[in-house]
Amino acid sequence: QEEPGEDPSDVPADNPVDVPPDADPCAGVDCSGHGECEVSGGSPVCLCDAGYHAEGLSCVEDPVDCGLAEVLCVDDTAGPTQEYPTIQAAVDEAGPGDIVLVFDGSYEGCQVSAGGESGNSFVLRAHGEVTIDRDGPTGDGIRLENVSFVTVEGFRIVGVTDRGIAHRGATPEEPVHGLLIRGNAIEGSGTEGMYLSEVADSLVEGNTITGSG
């Protein structure tokens, strides 16, 4: 019931009276029980467990089917899992919602210049014993160039000239969001094992760095 003299049009449309302005955006978001909700730019996003990827506010199990359009398979040995012989070739074709699966082998590094979107991440994942032991285009093992909502998981990166895993290109005013860097082993990098510049609302966990710098 309106109070005398109150005009309903005086209530701001973007702040309904029944929604607290300080409400937690992650309240009630369980990411299907396979991840954690984080707030990125004021909105909830799911950072998913290994073997899962975000679709909206759910964590969905990764497919391992090279016949699916959203799965790009990399193998350095000819066979049914060799859609691409190099990581870079697959990354160049991938976009939001795609999963680049890298099968057992030894590879050159890569640069990721196109990332994912909130709720529709781009996943770069090792599937088996995968070693990056040759420089990518920038001298790094895996270089992320001003990209958000990218997962990098499960790689062994050995003896690259510069950094094992790096993110560059963002600014303090416009950082990137939603990176998930997990379960990578970095050995003997020439400078830093890992260097992530201007990154916000992201998760880095379960990585090991030895003999670098």
Side-chain angles (χ1 to χ4, degrees):
Q1 183 177 355
E2 297 174 22
E3 294 295 328
E6 182 180 39
D7 183 349
S9 65
D10 291 337
V11 179
D14 60 351
N15 186 24
V17 294
D18 58 345
V19 178
D22 58 349
D24 179 5
C26 281
V29 179
D30 67 358
C31 300
S32 309
H34 295 291
E36 297 182 0
C37 181
E38 298 283 344
V39 179
S40 176
S43 299
V45 297
C46 285
L47 298 178
C48 299
D49 296 339
Y52 292 79
H53 65 278
E55 290 187 4
L57 294 179
S58 299
C59 288
V60 179
E61 189 170 7
D62 290 342
V64 187
D65 182 351
C66 299
L68 297 175
E70 69 270 23
V71 179
L72 292 77
C73 292
V74 180
D75 202 324
D76 63 350
T77 302
T81 56
Q82 194 194 62
E83 295 181 311
Y84 301 88
T86 68
I87 301 173
Q88 189 68 63
V91 164
D92 288 345
E93 295 293 324
D98 287 338
I99 301 168
V100 173
L101 285 181
V102 186
F103 286 79
D104 292 356
S106 174
Y107 298 89
E108 287 183 5
C110 67
Q111 177 171 321
V112 179
S113 300
E117 301 168 349
S118 180
N120 204 25
S121 57
F122 163 62
V123 177
L124 176 59
R125 177 171 289 132
H127 187 72
E129 298 295 324
V130 177
T131 300
I132 293 175
D133 57 7
R134 285 157 282 161
D135 292 352
T138 60
D140 303 311
I142 298 174
R143 170 71 166 261
L144 309 178
E145 188 66 23
N146 196 20
V147 290
S148 291
F149 303 105
V150 174
T151 294
V152 177
E153 189 167 44
F155 291 90
R156 179 173 179 247
I157 302 172
V158 180
V160 295
T161 300
D162 207 345
R163 302 172 175 104
I165 298 174
H167 179 275
R168 302 297 301 272
T171 66
E173 295 76 22
E174 295 186 9
V176 300
H177 301 266
L179 299 186
L180 176 53
I181 313 295
R182 178 167 53 198
N184 302 283
I186 301 169
E187 306 166 24
S189 297
T191 56
E192 295 93 356
M194 192 179 296
Y195 182 89
L196 305 175
S197 174
E198 311 303 348
V199 174
D201 308 319
S202 296
L203 180 63
V204 180
E205 67 175 7
N207 304 283
T208 60
I209 299 172
T210 57
S212 297

